[in-house]
Amino acid sequence: MRAKASDMHTKDCVKVAVRVRPFNKRERDAGSRCIISLVSTSISIQDPRDCHNRRSFCFDYAYWSHSGFTRDHTGLFVPEEPGGRYADQDSVFQDLGVGILENSLQGYNATLLAYGQTGSGKSYSMVGYGPNKGLVPKLCDRLFEAIRENQENRQCQVFFSMLEIYNEQVVDLLFRGSRTAGGLRVREEQQRGFYVEGLRKIPCENALQVEQLMEQGTRTRTTAATQMNANSSRSHMLIILQLKQIFSKESITKQSNINLVDLAGSERQRSSGSEADRLKEGTAINLSLTTLGNVISALADVAVGKKVVHIPYRDSVLTKLLQSALGGNSRTVMIATLSPADICYEESLSTLRYAERAKRIQNRAVVNESPTERLVKELKAENARLMQKLSRMDQEGRRASDESKELRQLLTQNELQIRAIQTLWEQNLQEALKDWEQQYASITQERRMMQMYPYILNINEDAQLSGVVKLFIQEGDWVIGLCDSSPRSISIKGLGIQERHAVFRNEQRRVTLTPVMGSKVIVNGNTVYETIELQHL
């Protein structure tokens, strides 16, 4: 059941939606029972250890995607019965995505925050899988559709940026050179607020190009995560779509940002796993989410009239970059995803409490004019005034006076400044576009190699990040392990990986694997000690 769609784009309160997903395989195997119930926009959760302890919450939107669905012939998940309570991807987009799109076209900044534990369905709601497209691809499709429909009365440009925050460091996912010590710097400016210095903006002409950029960014993110920790993608991801609209008749330029934020889930630290890196990583995630919680709590107190001395935006990189989305110049929606299983009770209750605080926040959204365009417009207006003044002086016969020379000099300086601003903007765009084209060429080459050679894939706890790192096994013998100095080596990093871990042999696409003494190799659940031939999948 989903809430009745409300007029979200006329108010500046943060809108909050919750979505309940189906049981996954682990929960079914554990014999889990459903502890969440949903009526209209009210959601209740029951403590599995105490049947009398039930907590209820009320949100702007609530979606039941746990049961009552079937897969049609195209692979889409749809309600079993017409008008059933199951909320599909299109229902979620109509309520949340359409409002975000309308806000952006009106010139307002718009933000979509996705929060939930790992495996709670965030990626499915945000990105989707196969024909079940999520909010982000649907939003991009509709954005470019709206641009095509309105191209007669306005010129539009769309720019795409994609970054991740890992261990309090910012990485540009569209530029491999940004992965330096300390990451990119977050700076503050009075007009812009907090921004990432040197973040690439790639101009996009259609939804397919955005999809390609997202694929490239996801690949960069996964590669980095695999190098740091073999089983980890524990980072916050932020996609920024910047829409620039030029209304030639009204001489107005509107510039708005659509921020799509996939927050990492906060989890209790497990005793097993990579104790050093995993603990450091978990601490950084929990620090940023705790700071985000403190910001949300402070803003919620402000909204109900309490006196708050300090809102801790500066305490983490995440909250700096989300300042406009929370209590600032943006119209914001948060979608919180939940597992209904009794074994996830504590995580689900924590998510609901988080979401409940967020819905009290009030933002102050305004229509945005482009700062570059505004500066150019001011310079042109000043030049028009100078020309009028010079014209009057010519009529009065003071053409050669010192004042006249000074005005002409000022006029020339303004013209040069206008030309420099416009030239610099074009150069930056061309450089960004050229860099992206080079990087996407490597992805195209990888696809060709997939047709030529056998390869192995990464497996990740996040389904969206599985299968995007490919290691190719070309003809001959290839050593796999920590070693990366040999020209015939495949380098991987992770717990328990030795310098020389195993040897792949490819003879006319017939691949065998030989473990090196002392290394642990498992094929289909069985430990391997001698040479074994590998089969497809």
Side-chain angles (χ1 to χ4, degrees), residues 142-252:
R142 291 286 286 274
L143 174 62
F144 285 100
E145 199 177 295
I147 289 170
R148 285 194 299 272
E149 289 171 358
N150 295 291
Q151 59 187 359
E152 289 182 9
N153 58 6
R154 70 183 83 168
Q155 284 181 289
C156 293
Q157 294 174 304
V158 177
F159 305 96
F160 181 94
S161 302
M162 190 173 181
L163 62 90
E164 75 169 337
I165 303 169
Y166 183 89
N167 280 349
E168 286 296 285
Q169 294 184 5
V170 179
V171 177
D172 186 344
L173 292 176
L174 300 180
F175 179 55
R176 294 171 194 236
S178 71
R179 197 172 290 282
T180 54
L184 296 176
R185 298 184 68 176
V186 177
R187 294 191 175 276
E188 186 178 15
E189 200 177 85
Q190 190 172 1
Q191 293 291 330
R192 294 171 65 182
F194 289 105
Y195 68 98
V196 179
E197 185 180 44
L199 183 68
R200 292 295 175 100
K201 293 179 184 176
I202 310 294
C204 295
E205 295 178 355
N206 52 56
L208 177 63
Q209 196 174 355
V210 172
E211 192 179 316
Q212 291 170 345
L213 286 163
M214 283 179 62
E215 179 189 337
Q216 179 189 330
T218 304
R219 175 186 166 81
T220 307
R221 181 188 185 196
T222 311
T223 305
T226 306
Q227 286 168 351
M228 291 181 208
N229 188 305
N231 193 35
S232 176
S233 63
R234 313 293 299 115
S235 62
H236 309 294
M237 185 177 72
L238 175 57
I239 292 170
I240 304 166
L241 288 168
Q242 188 182 84
L243 174 63
K244 186 177 177 183
Q245 303 175 88
I246 303 167
F247 298 83
S248 48
K249 287 182 182 177
E250 298 91 339
S251 299
I252 294 173

Side-chain angles (χ1 to χ4, degrees), residues 447-458:
R447 287 177 178 159
R448 286 199 294 269
M449 290 182 71
M450 287 167 64
Q451 306 297 320
M452 297 166 61
Y453 302 112
Y455 56 92
I456 52 177
L457 303 169
N458 74 305

Side-chain angles (χ1 to χ4, degrees), residues 275-293:
E275 293 177 4
D277 286 351
R278 191 74 167 174
L279 188 61
K280 179 186 174 187
E281 176 187 84
T283 303
I285 291 161
N286 287 337
L287 166 70
S288 60
L289 288 173
T290 301
T291 306
L292 181 60

